[in-house]
Amino acid sequence: NGIFCYGNCICDIKKSSNIVSSSDVKFNFPNSKINTNNFEVGRLILDEKSKLVVGSKAEIRSGCFVRVDPNAILTIGANTMINNNCRIVCKQEIEIGEDCIISFDCKILDTDMHRINDELHNKPIIIGNHVWIGIGSIILKGVTIGDGAIIGAGSVVTHDIPAGSMAAGNPARVIKENVTWKR
């Protein structure tokens, strides 16, 4: 098994990085509903001693930027779809569960990306199983999103979101409980 890159892809995969997958990883995969000859540039960076774990039938669509820094771990569960133009920056650990949908233009960052008082602050992110993250949402460091949750479009998630709830806004807050959704 390996990484199968579609269209315009830039991959920087260090020898000491580790890719674990039960099937081929589809990176920069086209959205079948749009022109499959018009790919946006996708970028995958796996730094020294980084680890990428991808479940079967997971897809990372066209135009995504995925970076896993040294000694960091990014896990993407089976049957999870990360849609076009998403950005994932993993400096410590990001876990995305099974059967998730991450809509267009989302950002998931387990870091502040800058130093404050000469310290870089990283905290793991855990996204449960069967989570739907709406278009343009931002998931920030230290957040856990419970199984079956829905994150509304354009939300900025700065705190934990309970399982089976719908959250929206900036910062995201729970607006409905006991929700269910189908693919």
Side-chain angles (χ1 to χ4, degrees):
N1 298 327
I3 294 181
F4 190 78
C5 295
Y6 293 77
N8 297 323
C9 226
I10 300 170
C11 293
D12 182 3
I13 301 171
K14 303 295 187 213
K15 275 190 170 184
S16 64
S17 65
N18 187 9
I19 300 170
V20 178
S21 179
S22 55
S23 62
D24 285 339
V25 177
K26 294 178 181 178
F27 187 77
N28 212 41
F29 191 69
N31 183 332
S32 60
K33 295 177 183 168
I34 62 174
N35 182 353
T36 57
N37 294 322
N38 186 15
F39 289 90
E40 296 183 49
V41 176
R43 186 156 187 180
L44 176 64
I45 301 167
L46 299 178
D47 219 324
E48 299 292 338
K49 299 180 183 175
S50 64
K51 187 173 185 179
L52 174 63
V53 180
V54 183
S56 65
K57 298 182 182 176
E59 297 177 3
I60 302 169
R61 295 273 174 95
S62 177
C64 288
F65 173 92
V66 177
R67 179 183 181 107
V68 186
D69 275 10
N71 302 307
I73 301 170
L74 171 60
T75 303
I76 301 169
N79 201 37
T80 286
M81 190 260 305
I82 299 171
N83 220 320
N84 300 60
N85 300 318
C86 287
R87 305 290 181 256
I88 298 174
V89 177
C90 180
K91 292 210 175 264
Q92 185 175 353
E93 183 174 8
I94 297 174
E95 180 182 326
I96 302 170
E98 295 182 0
D99 195 40
C100 293
I101 295 176
I102 299 175
S103 299
F104 295 90
D105 300 318
C106 290
K107 294 171 182 61
I108 303 172
L109 305 104
D110 69 351
T111 180
D112 287 334
M113 298 289 295
H114 53 80
R115 295 184 180 277
I116 299 174
N117 294 332
D118 207 32
E119 292 181 27
L120 186 61
H121 298 275
N122 306 324
K123 290 184 183 174
I125 293 173
I126 299 172
I127 298 171
N129 295 319
H130 194 66
V131 171
W132 180 5
I133 299 176
I135 190 169
S137 293
I138 301 171
I139 312 300
L140 296 176
K141 69 178 187 184
V143 166
T144 296
I145 300 174
D147 293 347
I150 300 170
I151 306 300
S155 296
V156 179
V157 182
T158 61
H159 294 88
D160 293 352
I161 304 299
S165 62
M166 179 185 293
N170 180 6
R173 62 179 181 80
V174 174
I175 58 173
K176 195 171 194 180
E177 296 177 339
N178 299 316
V179 298
T180 59
W181 64 276
K182 292 182 183 178
R183 254 187 143 155

